[in-house]
């Protein structure tokens, strides 16, 4: 079922890692497979769907019939026929059963339909007096981000006559198609490809938030955001950009950790802290700019997000500890590892330190074995370190990590891959002149296509705007050039799709 699919967690298979307990760096075991799987766990959103007509999904709309009179020009008529065919292909790809190639097909059909619906919209804007419809156009879409509204198919769809609505949701389809493709690549251990797909998705939602939706909003509205999918809100799209950039960096971390050679633990610690900053920024934006939309998202997503924020902090402390031990800071390393252990405990209250409680109904139950394994690894490593320190090194263990040893900022390595709409040529739309040739003839009764269809209204932010705070913008500059250079080198390889 759709709701069940929306709750799935995607993790790398146990066979992907090159590590086993027989390999160690020096005298201590390396990071375990469970740390890699936990670090790369993600939430899989489902895809939007089109409303159904008598002949299946997407068949309730026909541009050919709607523009039969005003689109008699040969070139315009061909455009309407191509638009119908491309829209039907997208509808069929979205409603197809799950399969390895589903997301690739959704991306392909979205990219084919997008310039066509864009050209129809541009033609209506260029020839508003000629955009007279013979048949009503009513676009119906379900959200790919929201939890299921109803078990009844007809109740899942939001409706609008705006061509811009169809254009925006098509862009959303391409974006969430890349997200699905990224999850598929993550399962197969293709982390560089997965990271790139998440960056493509981030670029698409950034385009919606910064370019496309503000254009729609500026025209005025008679439709509220409650009537349209959550993806049609600027705040939601802005937040999703941050989320997908954070997950893209998760994939970069997994790319490093899955390799057999010893990683740069300090760099990995900074990357994990950067992931945490992205996820916290997602939450901040949703609360400040899309608070009314938050309840529409399935609670299992927020459960995983809360878990990931704490997990990324725990992983950062863990890898800082590994780096400190390698730098002969034995007492500090034990203190950092203790902090990681504390963060991995089950929290005693919703606001307490630790990870959320996981019961038989929790969406995190698929991670129970990996959480348990990572806890055991930390405990075992702590015993080894404490034994070595008490018999060999005799380094004082501080009660808290010294300020000069704390990594105060995370590395934000990922940037969006920009998205834009291609320029299109408006085609001729002409009003039926025959109706006006005879003065006694009545005016045309067909509805006129509104070239500026009603956009959604985003919920108003509080009268007093929140302070211009950004957890990401406040992060200080990276102090160590060597780690910065390594991050840029890693980013370049990920962009090139190289095997790192």
């Amino acid at each position: 079922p759709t709701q069940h699919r929306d709750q799935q967690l995607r993790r790398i298979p146990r066979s992907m890692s090159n590590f086993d307990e027989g390999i160690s760096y020096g005298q201590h075991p390396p990071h375990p497979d469970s740390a890699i799987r936990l670090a790369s766990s993600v939430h899989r959103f489902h895809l939007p769907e089109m409303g159904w007509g008598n002949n299946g999904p997407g068949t309730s709309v026909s541009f050919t019939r709607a523009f039969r009179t005003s689109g008699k020009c040969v070139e315009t008529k061909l455009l309407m026929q191509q638009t119908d065919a491309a829209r039907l292909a997208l509808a069929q790809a979205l409603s197809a059963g799950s399969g390895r190639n589903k997301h690739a097909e959704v991306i392909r059909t979205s990219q084919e339909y997008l310039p066509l619906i864009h050209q129809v919209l541009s033609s209506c804007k260029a020839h508003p007096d000629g955009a007279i419809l013979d048949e009503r156009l009513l676009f119906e879409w379900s959200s790919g981000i929201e939890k299921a509204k109803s078990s009844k198919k007809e109740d899942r769809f939001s409706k609008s006559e705006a061509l811009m609505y169809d254009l925006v949701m098509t862009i959303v389809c391409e974006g969430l198609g890349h997200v699905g493709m990224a999850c598929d690549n993550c399962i197969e251990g293709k982390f560089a490809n997965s990271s790139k797909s998440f960056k493509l998705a981030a670029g698409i939602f950034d385009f919606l938030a910064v370019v496309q939706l503000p254009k729609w909003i500026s025209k005025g509205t008679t439709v509220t955001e409650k009537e349209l999918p959550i993806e049609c809100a600027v705040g939601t799209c802005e937040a999703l950009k941050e989320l997908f950039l954070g997950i893209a960096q998760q994939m970069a971390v997994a790319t490093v950790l899955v390799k057999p050679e010893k990683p740069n633990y300090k760099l990995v610690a900074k990357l994990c802290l950067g992931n945490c900053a992205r996820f916290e920024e997602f939450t901040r934006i949703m609360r400040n700019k899309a608070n009314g939309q938050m309840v529409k998202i399935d609670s299992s997503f927020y459960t995983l997000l809360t878990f990931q924020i704490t997990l990324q902090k725990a992983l950062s402390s863990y890898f800082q500890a590994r780096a400190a031990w390698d730098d002969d800071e034995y007492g500090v390393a034990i203190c950092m590892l203790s902090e990681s252990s504390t963060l991995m405990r089950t929290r005693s209250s919703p606001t307490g330190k630790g990870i959320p409680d996981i019961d038989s109904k929790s969406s995190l139950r698929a991670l129970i074995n990996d959480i348990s394994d990572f806890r055991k690894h930390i405990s075992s490593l702590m015993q080894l370190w404490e034994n070595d320190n008490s018999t060999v090194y005799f380094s004082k263990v501080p009660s808290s990590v010294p300020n000069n040893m704390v990594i105060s900022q995370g590395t934000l390595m990922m940037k969006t891959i920009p998205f834009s709409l291609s320029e299109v040529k408006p085609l001729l739309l002409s009003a039926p002149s025959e109706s006006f040739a005879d003065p006694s003839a009545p005016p045309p009764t067909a509805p006129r296509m509104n070239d500026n269809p009603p956009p959604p209204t985003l919920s108003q932010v509080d009268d007093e705007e929140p302070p211009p705070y950004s957890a990401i913008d406040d992060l200080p500059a990276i102090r160590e050039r060597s780690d910065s250079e390594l991050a840029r080198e890693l980013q370049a390889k990920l962009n090139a799709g190289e095997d790192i």
Side-chain angles (χ1 to χ4, degrees):
T2 301
Q3 188 171 5
H4 176 72
R5 185 171 72 249
D6 186 43
Q7 297 174 356
Q8 288 180 313
L9 298 172
R10 291 302 184 239
R11 302 174 295 133
I12 66 169
R14 293 180 179 272
S15 60
M16 283 308 304
S17 175
N18 292 323
F19 295 108
D20 60 53
E21 291 302 323
I23 302 175
S24 64
Y25 307 124
Q27 299 179 351
H28 300 133
H31 54 271
D33 290 356
S34 55
I36 307 172
R37 288 190 292 272
L38 290 172
S40 60
S41 58
V42 297
H43 181 94
R44 182 191 283 273
F45 293 108
H46 58 273
L47 293 164
E49 290 187 16
M50 288 187 195
W52 285 55
N54 294 330
N55 297 317
T59 58
S60 61
V61 169
S62 171
F63 290 95
T64 302
R65 295 196 303 266
F67 290 93
R68 183 176 63 252
T69 301
S70 59
K72 286 185 175 180
C73 170
V74 175
E75 193 175 6
T76 305
K77 185 176 182 180
L78 179 60
L79 169 64
M80 300 306 172
Q81 293 172 346
Q82 292 174 335
T83 304
D84 279 340
R87 192 174 194 273
L88 181 59
L90 174 58
Q92 292 173 342
L94 291 169
S95 62
S98 60
R100 178 64 184 88
N101 297 321
K102 175 170 181 174
H103 297 103
E105 188 65 11
V106 168
I107 295 170
R108 183 187 68 80
T109 52
S110 296
Q111 292 173 342
E112 290 180 353
Y113 177 56
L114 190 54
L116 297 172
I117 181 62
H118 186 203
Q119 192 171 21
V120 172
L121 178 59
S122 297
S123 300
C124 291
K125 288 182 177 181
H127 305 285
D129 292 335
I132 296 176
L133 301 181
D134 296 279
E135 180 178 301
R136 184 188 185 195
L137 289 174
L138 183 62
F139 303 104
E140 300 178 62
W141 285 92
S142 68
S143 171
I145 303 294
E146 299 175 24
K147 58 188 175 184
K149 295 179 181 179
S150 171
S151 58
K152 296 181 180 180
K153 183 177 296 184
E154 59 272 16
D155 295 335
R156 296 206 312 264
F157 299 100
S158 301
K159 303 176 183 180
S160 173
E161 296 183 8
L163 281 170
M164 185 71 83
Y165 177 44
D166 210 44
L167 176 74
V168 166
M169 289 306 297
T170 302
I171 298 174
V172 169
C173 287
E174 183 176 346
L176 292 181
H178 284 297
V179 171
M181 180 75 77
C183 291
D184 292 339
N185 284 325
C186 177
I187 295 173
E188 298 176 6
K190 299 176 181 178
F191 298 116
N193 291 341
S194 179
S195 180
K196 182 177 180 180
S197 292
F198 277 119
K199 288 189 293 182
L200 284 166
I204 287 173
F205 283 96
D206 185 46
F207 171 82
L208 286 171
V210 176
V211 179
Q212 199 61 39
L213 287 174
K215 286 182 180 179
W216 192 5
I217 294 169
S218 66
K219 301 297 183 181
T221 181
T222 58
V223 181
T224 67
E225 65 176 3
K226 293 181 179 180
E227 300 175 59
L228 297 178
I230 190 174
E231 298 92 323
C232 293
V234 169
T236 302
C237 291
E238 184 181 342
L240 287 173
K241 180 202 76 171
E242 296 295 333
L243 175 69
F244 294 142
L245 284 177
I247 301 176
Q249 190 154 301
Q250 277 185 261
M251 300 301 107
V253 170
T255 302
V256 173
L257 295 181
V258 79
K259 296 300 177 181
E261 61 269 14
K262 183 177 180 178
N264 182 324
Y265 281 129
K266 192 170 185 179
L267 174 60
V268 174
K270 291 181 177 182
L271 291 173
C272 290
L273 210 56
N275 295 342
C276 181
R278 290 288 190 193
F279 299 149
E280 289 177 334
E281 183 71 354
F282 167 85
T283 303
R284 188 192 72 83
I285 294 172
M286 287 295 293
R287 286 175 176 168
N288 287 351
K289 298 184 179 182
N291 190 51
Q293 304 283 13
M294 293 185 72
V295 296
K296 296 182 179 181
I297 303 178
D298 195 282
S299 60
S300 63
F301 165 75
Y302 293 113
T303 302
L304 177 60
L305 186 66
T306 301
F307 168 79
Q308 272 294 345
I309 289 173
T310 302
L311 173 68
Q312 295 299 326
K313 292 178 180 178
L315 288 172
S316 181
S317 293
Y318 169 80
F319 291 121
Q320 287 181 62
R322 301 298 302 239
W325 187 270
D326 290 345
D327 291 339
D328 300 336
E329 297 285 350
Y330 305 111
V332 174
I334 291 173
C335 179
M336 290 176 171
L337 191 63
S338 177
E339 175 67 16
S340 178
S341 177
T342 299
L343 289 168
M344 285 302 299
R345 295 173 185 169
T346 300
R347 64 189 184 189
S348 57
S349 67
T351 58
K353 181 178 288 188
I355 62 176
D357 184 30
I358 303 175
D359 55 29
S360 59
K361 297 181 180 180
S362 173
S363 57
L364 298 177
R365 61 187 180 277
L367 302 176
I368 289 179
N369 291 338
D370 287 326
I371 293 171
S372 177
D373 183 77
F374 188 49
R375 285 170 172 168
K376 290 178 182 178
H377 167 79
I378 291 177
S379 178
S380 175
L381 187 61
M382 179 70 78
Q383 292 178 11
L384 288 172
W385 282 4
E386 288 179 335
N387 180 68
D388 286 359
N389 190 49
S390 63
T391 58
V392 179
Y393 305 116
F394 305 105
S395 177
K396 182 180 178 180
V397 179
S399 57
S400 61
V401 180
N403 290 335
N404 66 325
M405 298 290 291
V406 173
I407 298 178
S408 59
Q409 53 81 56
T411 297
L412 300 176
M413 187 175 64
M414 295 298 163
K415 296 181 179 180
T416 62
I417 296 177
F419 174 87
S420 63
L421 286 176
S422 301
E423 293 294 327
V424 293
K425 172 188 174 184
L427 299 184
L428 177 64
L429 293 173
S430 57
S433 56
E434 299 84 3
S435 300
F436 300 96
D438 182 2
S440 63
T445 57
R448 186 178 300 274
M449 188 65 204
N450 183 5
D451 62 317
N452 293 324
T457 298
L458 298 179
S459 60
Q460 298 297 319
V461 183
D462 296 338
D463 293 338
E464 294 185 5
E465 294 186 0
Y469 167 76
S470 170
I472 292 174
D473 293 339
D474 286 349
L475 294 176
I478 299 174
R479 297 178 181 176
E480 298 189 18
R481 180 175 174 78
S482 59
D483 285 343
S484 177
E485 290 174 343
L486 285 170
R488 285 196 294 269
E489 180 183 352
L490 176 59
Q491 175 67 78
K493 289 183 177 181
L494 284 168
N495 288 341
E498 296 179 11
D499 183 26
I500 298 174

